[in-house]
Amino acid sequence: MDSELNILTQSVLKFRDDRNWAQYHNLKDLAVCLNIEAGELLELFLWKNSEEVNKAKLKEELADVFYATLLLAHESGIDLSLALTEKLKSNEIKYPIEKSYGKREKYDEI
Ligand SMILES: [Mg+2]
């Protein structure tokens, strides 16, 4: 059974492979790509408050970040669904509700 994430990953891989770009998709360059796209997203907020951000551009940059994330996860053999599930479990331990509810401090400060 294909999950939505697997279907999206297959679409991203087809887009890439139709253009013969896999040759450039080593882990280092995918990590660089992911961070550049995250930077482009962050740039949308520069000198603006949250209400002023262009939502159409935000949508595009989020998609770029997601695209790079799916490729990096695929190329590194990481099951992104499992990774997120495990990270949430880890964060539940780091941030127990009774200690972190309504607080913004980092786990080692609560
Ligand atoms: Mg972009």
Side-chain angles (χ1 to χ4, degrees), residues 8 16 23-24 32 37 43 46 57 62 67 69 73 80 86 92 94 96-97 103-105:
L8 289 170
R16 177 192 71 179
Q23 59 187 312
Y24 306 114
V32 170
E37 295 301 346
E43 188 177 22
L46 182 64
K57 289 182 180 175
L62 267 176
Y67 170 88
T69 300
L80 204 49
E86 290 174 352
E92 284 175 3
K94 278 185 185 173
I97 295 170
K103 296 181 181 169
R104 58 184 163 194
E105 286 78 16

Side-chain angles (χ1 to χ4, degrees), residues 37 40 60-61 64:
E37 295 301 346
E40 290 175 357
E60 283 186 25
E61 296 306 339
D64 284 345

Side-chain angles (χ1 to χ4, degrees), residues 16-50:
R16 177 192 71 179
D17 293 341
D18 284 350
R19 288 154 183 81
N20 191 27
W21 289 348
Q23 59 187 312
Y24 306 114
H25 287 179
N26 59 73
L27 297 185
K28 185 267 292 176
D29 285 322
L30 288 171
V32 170
C33 175
L34 173 57
N35 279 269
I36 288 171
E37 295 301 346
E40 290 175 357
L41 184 150
L42 191 58
E43 188 177 22
L44 299 175
F45 291 85
L46 182 64
W47 315 126
K48 297 174 184 161
N49 61 45
S50 295

